[in-house]
Amino acid sequence: MAEEAGASAAPVGGDGKMTMVVGVDESEHSYYALQWTLLHFFSPGQVQLYRLVVVTAKPTAASAVGLAGPGAADVLPMVEADLKRSSLRVIGKAKELCAQVSDAVFEVVEGDARNVLCEAVERHHAEMLVVGNHGYGAIKRAVLGSVSDYCTHHAHCTVMIVKKPKHKH
Amino acid sequence: MEPGRAVASGVPLPPGGGGGVEASRGTAGAATMTKVVVAVDASEESLHALSWALDHVVRHHPGASLVVVHAQHPADHFVYPVAAHGMAYIPPTAVESMKKTQDENTRKVVARALEVCAQRQVTAKAAVVEGDPKEAICQAVEDMHADLLVLGSRGLGMIKRALLGSVSDYLAHHASCPVLIVKPPKAHAKGTGSST
């Protein structure tokens, strides 16, 4: 999908900035993570030392539906359209939130979030990956899988996990 | 399960709210990161995490205060697990010397961490907490109202090294503030994009 022009990105952008990838999905937790990042690293008064790349993963329709019955072929296009709409909504909202960031890049990449984020880190040679987490307990994480856990172990850069606090101090 | 007690070495921890205005309330103007806590132990990974944090985060937030936290295993155990199978019994007479060795190690770890900070002209405070590292650090982060916690990914917990990153996993899910997990330098050098 929206691949960066020029497959071999330079390790550092021409302006000497480091790169930070922020993963977002439809959840409130990831918008919170994005906003926290903007507040602390990209606020208007500060010198911007990072280049911001916001990435959302669009699951493939086949993986989302997961059924192989006679009706599957009919359902897939609708699911695909729906997923596409949903990802564009996510990116649209991210763009709104990042309005004050001058050179932010926004990408929708098809695939599973875990791989998409790690691969985006490689592609942009990012120094940092920021993700929120859903605050799942250990059992839910084992069953549903945790993108933040996966990225913590597999991304080839520093990972920052921003949790939405259950209660403000 | 004993809760971790925060024992500041020479610097009193603010009882509450001393960390300053919570940036997350979104006050007008540039948000400041007021307090960054870095967990350190004797490992190279945690020292690398400290350097990384200094270069990539603290440098850009000049107003931030930095606290290095070291978790010390409580030395009042008489029995220690050894090599995953056996248990070593420590006679009471040896507990004193064990405690002295531990204190000495703690001093070295803290001194090394503070030196790394000083090399970058950053004044840092140190705190030593006792108890199970994950819970003690979690508690300390809450008590200090930290804005960010920095960890090396496989740097904490000497005995738990076998359980890859269990301390960082725990803190990533339980700490009361965002957690930054820094990988050891070898990971950065893996240029050829390995799959998964």
Side-chain angles (χ1 to χ4, degrees):
Chain A
M1 293 243 57
E3 295 277 292
E4 275 284 83
S8 54
V12 176
D15 46 9
K17 284 187 190 171
M18 300 180 284
T19 303
M20 183 189 300
V21 173
V22 181
V24 291
D25 63 12
E26 310 93 23
S27 69
E28 280 307 311
H29 300 91
S30 70
Y31 290 127
Y32 178 83
L34 178 60
Q35 284 173 309
W36 190 96
T37 307
L38 290 170
L39 203 59
H40 288 89
F41 288 90
F42 295 97
S43 67
Q46 273 178 327
V47 179
Q48 255 192 56
L49 290 134
Y50 280 95
R51 195 166 64 96
L52 177 65
V53 177
V54 181
V55 177
T56 188
K58 176 185 143 327
T60 55
S63 71
V65 173
L67 50 79
D74 300 327
V75 169
L76 284 181
M78 292 196 311
V79 173
E80 174 72 29
D82 204 46
L83 289 172
K84 207 174 235 160
R85 253 198 309 272
S86 168
S87 315
L88 289 175
R89 233 194 343 258
V90 169
I91 280 291
K93 183 159 175 188
K95 281 186 184 165
E96 267 176 57
L97 292 171
C98 299
Q100 80 263 29
V101 181
S102 51
D103 53 354
V105 172
F106 300 88
E107 293 185 354
V108 177
V109 183
E110 187 158 307
D112 180 273
R114 281 167 267 237
N115 300 322
V116 161
L117 290 180
C118 292
E119 186 267 335
V121 162
E122 299 280 309
R123 205 157 23 90
H124 292 278
H125 299 268
E127 275 77 12
M128 180 142 73
L129 169 66
V130 183
V131 289
N133 73 14
H134 289 249
Y136 288 157
I139 294 176
K140 248 182 163 174
R141 266 183 276 144
V143 172
L144 298 172
S146 166
V147 174
S148 60
D149 274 354
Y150 183 89
C151 290
T152 304
H153 289 110
H154 294 88
H156 292 156
C157 70
T158 298
V159 178
M160 179 152 68
I161 299 174
V162 182
K163 284 184 301 299
K164 195 167 174 188
K166 295 191 198 78
H167 56 272
K168 300 262 188 238
H169 303 304
Chain B
M1 185 169 327
E2 54 177 288
R5 289 166 307 148
V7 175
S9 55
V11 180
L13 291 177
V21 176
E22 288 304 309
S24 54
R25 257 191 263 134
T27 50
T32 47
M33 184 116 51
T34 43
K35 186 164 272 179
V36 177
V37 174
V38 183
V40 293
D41 70 357
S43 70
E44 285 305 312
E45 284 92 349
S46 70
L47 227 54
H48 173 256
L50 175 59
S51 313
W52 198 98
L54 286 165
D55 292 334
H56 291 77
V57 177
V58 178
R59 188 158 62 111
H60 310 324
H61 294 89
S65 71
L66 182 75
V67 180
V68 296
V69 171
H70 175 65
Q72 193 175 351
H73 286 271
D76 45 343
H77 288 171
F78 292 106
V79 177
Y80 280 83
V82 170
H85 299 300
M87 299 287 246
Y89 173 67
I90 312 289
T93 47
V95 171
E96 265 309 304
S97 58
M98 283 225 65
K99 185 139 176 56
K100 258 175 66 177
T101 318
Q102 266 204 340
D103 287 344
E104 183 55 36
N105 288 339
T106 299
R107 251 193 301 276
K108 282 196 204 136
V109 165
V110 167
R112 209 163 55 142
L114 290 177
E115 196 193 306
V116 170
C117 298
Q119 278 170 2
R120 289 164 173 77
Q121 278 93 42
V122 174
T123 36
K125 300 191 195 126
V128 177
V129 293
E130 256 194 30
D132 178 59
K134 356 189 247 284
E135 289 159 17
I137 293 174
C138 200
Q139 188 61 46
V141 160
E142 216 177 293
D143 293 340
M144 293 188 221
H145 296 273
D147 292 306
L148 184 68
L149 170 65
V150 180
L151 309 170
S153 71
R154 271 163 224 170
L156 295 180
M158 298 137 290
I159 293 175
K160 290 174 177 144
R161 234 181 252 281
L163 309 170
L164 297 169
S166 70
V167 176
S168 55
D169 273 352
Y170 180 90
L171 288 167
H173 290 278
H174 292 88
S176 58
C177 69
V179 177
L180 192 79
I181 296 172
V182 183
K183 302 296 177 65
K186 307 182 273 303
H188 290 270
K190 274 197 214 138
T192 58
S194 51
S195 57
T196 69

